Amino acid sequence: MAVTDKQRRYLKGLAHTLKPVVMIGNSGLTDSVLAEIDNALEHHELIKVRVSGQERADRKAILDKIAEESGADLVQVIGHIGGFYRPSKKALIQLPR
C-alpha cells in the first residue's frame, strides 16, 4: 500500500516523538533483524529503525531493502534513522484521506 503525500506528512508527525525500536549494527541486515522488524510493525504499525556504522549509500540501500522485504512504506529518513509504516490487521492509526 502506497501512502499519499498527505498521509506521509501525517505519519512523519507521529513518528517524530518515537524512539528507534530496532538497531542495526555492523552485522548488517540479517534474517533475525528482519523478523524483529516484521514483529514490531505488526504490533505498532509505525516504527523507527536506526542503522549505525554504514556509509550513506549503504544506509539507503539497507532502508530500501527493509521496506521491500517487510512490505512497509519508508515514510521518513533522517540521518541514521528511518521511519516505516505498515498497516496491521487491526488498524491502530487512522490515516487522513
Side-chain angles (χ1 to χ4, degrees):
M1 174 196 148
V3 295
T4 63
D5 287 339
K6 184 177 182 179
Q7 292 169 339
R8 188 177 309 274
R9 284 192 309 269
Y10 176 73
L11 290 169
K12 280 182 180 183
L14 292 178
H16 182 73
T17 59
L18 297 177
K19 302 284 186 218
V21 293
V22 178
M23 314 284 185
I24 299 175
N26 293 332
S27 300
L29 192 60
T30 62
D31 290 337
S32 61
V33 171
L34 281 172
E36 186 61 32
I37 290 170
D38 190 52
N39 187 30
L41 282 168
E42 190 60 38
H43 284 94
H44 302 289
E45 289 188 333
L46 181 65
I47 65 167
K48 281 185 175 178
V49 176
R50 177 184 295 274
V51 181
S52 300
Q54 305 289 331
E55 294 295 322
R56 181 180 293 187
D58 295 336
R59 282 194 311 262
K60 179 69 173 139
I62 288 172
L63 293 174
D64 289 340
K65 183 168 176 147
I66 291 170
E68 179 184 321
E69 294 286 327
S70 66
D73 290 310
L74 180 62
V75 295
Q76 179 182 31
V77 177
I78 298 176
H80 293 266
I81 298 175
F84 294 92
Y85 171 75
R86 184 180 73 192
S88 65
K89 291 177 181 73
K90 14 176 233 181
L92 302 172
I93 299 173
Q94 286 292 96
L95 292 178
R97 293 191 172 253

